[in-house]
Amino acid sequence: MSLFVFIGHDVADSADNRKAQRAAHLARLEALDSENRLLIAGPTPIAHGDSAMSGSVVIAEFDSLEAAQAWADEEPYLRGGVYSHVDIKPFVHVLPKSE
């Protein structure tokens, strides 16, 4: 397994649609977490304390870039129009050191 970072980019005025898709989005992340494949996940607000979001970041383990892409293609925020697109890149965990 290898780590990949997913950077989802919200469309403008995504707040209402984000709320509508949130339960399905979180369910997929919780599934990764229950499989011990999720390193970190969270939204990227436009500014700290702001409720408007610019996107999200997820770092998780997948067998390949193709598997990571297939997972991203099914993302409710992407399919539901919250994200305009998702960038996926290989990720190397350096710090903090894991056991």
Side-chain angles (χ1 to χ4, degrees), residues 29-70:
L29 294 172
E30 288 166 356
L32 284 177
D33 191 39
S34 71
E35 297 169 0
N36 294 316
R37 295 172 46 203
L38 182 63
L39 185 64
I40 195 166
T44 55
I46 292 174
H48 282 289
D50 196 342
S51 62
M53 297 298 150
S54 67
S56 304
V57 172
V58 173
I59 301 176
E61 287 184 323
F62 287 87
D63 288 331
S64 64
L65 179 57
E66 293 78 17
Q69 183 66 60

Side-chain angles (χ1 to χ4, degrees), residues 1 7 17 21-22 29 34 41 45 47 51 58 60 70 81 87 93 99:
M1 289 265 210
I7 305 166
N17 198 9
Q21 303 293 330
R22 190 166 194 268
L29 294 172
S34 71
S51 62
V58 173
D87 294 323
H93 183 182
E99 296 180 42

